[in-house]
Each structure stands twice: as structure tokens, then as C-alpha cells.
Amino acid sequence: MSATVEIANDIALIRMDDGKANAINFDMIAAVNSALDKAEAEAKAIVLAGREGRFSGGFDLNAFATLGADGVYKLLDAGAELLLRLYGGPLPVVAACTGHAIAMGTFLLHACDTRVGASGAFKIGANEAVTGMQLPIFAMELARDRLNPTHMTRAMIQGFIYDPAGALEAGYLDMLVDLEKVEATALAVAGQLAQLPAPSYAWNKKSIRKTTLDRIRSSIGAHHKL
């Protein structure tokens, strides 16, 4: 299984671990969605973590190379749906960024409410400009909401890759701790957020983010038309 879930003290810890770069493909998306099903039914807050040294290396480039155009669009749509579920879902979601986060890995960070990152020699950023890929709508819209506006050009148009301290300034992360403390810190933050009144948290989150959610939702199924 490329993602697992453990629930304790009303907190669901979802850990992505494919033994490699935590690439986002259909298997990983299905596994995270299955974990979210359990989390939403049994928990009051969620921590989304990676494996040590890796949060996520982004979409599975091997899948992109073999799926064909229709398959790539379907994978992009599945990724967008997952981001919508995290970004607009009712529960607080805390990212435990346990290392590198590239491309889709950073968009997963954007979709989480609070992002705890690891200090160290890690790379965080959207590298689509460097690899010659066009940014999907969900990437642009989440970046507009979560990134520091003064970093938008450097981060999204020029594809700059940050170290964790730079990622904190740019808005990919909200706090930095030592690698061995990332998961525990994220769980502590999630525990605090779980104490907030759930109905108002869910309503405020969805309402404040409605414009971005609507724009992303309207792009699904239309990547080839943009």
C-alpha cells in the first residue's frame, strides 16, 4: 500500500510511502483517498505525512510517459480532485513535510491548512518551468492563495527551487522544525485544531476558499482546452 492511515486521539495520520519518491499516480491517489474516507469518518483532524526525506516528488513521470494524452488528463483530474478534497474538506489538515516536495508535492502542501516542514538540505518548489511543462489551473489557483505574492513570479513562472528556510518565506511552509520532530509537531498542531468547533471550521474553510475551489473544479475535464 502506498499510503496508510493510523487514528489515535481523534487524529488521523496518513503517511505516503511508496519506498521511493512518493510519486503521485493512480495508485497513490486511490490509497490517499481511501485513507481520507477513514479519517473523515473517525477523526477530528488529519496529518498528511511523507516518508523520511521525501514528502512527494510530484506526479509520476513514468505514468505521464506511458498513459497517452487521455490518460495524462485523467491523472491530472484525479490529482485535482484529491487537492479539492484536502483544500475544501471539513477537517483540519496539517502537512508533515518530511523532506523534498517538488511540483505536485508542493500543491499538496498548498492544499493543507497548516504546513510543518523539516529543516535540512531539502528542495521544495514547482519545477514545471524548468522541465518545460505548463502549469495546470489547480497549481496556479492554489499558488495564488497560499504563496507570498512577492514570490509568485520566481516560484511559479521561473520555477525556482527553495531550501526549507526559503520555502517558509515563500509560503510553501508555515513552520520549520528538526526532521525528527516534524511528525510529532504536526500531530500536536492537529490536536489543537481538533479542539475547534467542527461545524464552524468546516463552514469557514469552505466559504473563504470558495472562489479558488470553484475555479479548480471548473477546470476538471478541460485541461486540453486551456
Side-chain angles (χ1 to χ4, degrees), residues 102-175:
I102 301 296
M104 180 63 174
T106 65
F107 310 144
L108 286 169
L109 291 177
H110 287 329
C112 297
D113 301 341
T114 303
R115 293 80 50 89
V116 181
S119 299
F122 299 119
K123 297 178 180 181
I124 298 175
N127 66 346
E128 281 78 2
V130 177
T131 59
M133 298 177 67
Q134 295 179 342
L135 290 164
I137 293 295
F138 59 73
M140 293 186 279
E141 293 301 329
L142 288 171
R144 285 193 184 100
D145 182 45
R146 304 308 303 274
L147 280 183
N148 181 334
T150 63
H151 282 262
M152 280 292 290
T153 294
R154 194 179 196 198
M156 302 304 290
I157 298 175
Q158 298 172 348
F160 186 79
I161 303 299
Y162 296 82
D163 62 15
L168 181 67
E169 179 185 347
Y172 285 114
L173 300 172
D174 296 303
M175 63 183 75

Side-chain angles (χ1 to χ4, degrees), residues 50-102:
R51 57 193 297 265
E52 185 172 340
R54 300 273 184 177
F55 183 67
S56 172
F59 276 116
D60 187 340
L61 297 183
N62 289 329
F64 276 1
T66 59
L67 286 172
D70 287 344
V72 169
Y73 295 140
K74 288 178 181 177
L75 182 54
L76 287 172
D77 284 343
E81 293 280 10
L82 176 59
L83 294 171
L84 286 171
R85 187 171 187 181
L86 293 166
Y87 181 74
L91 298 183
V93 184
V94 180
C97 185
T98 46
H100 302 296
I102 301 296

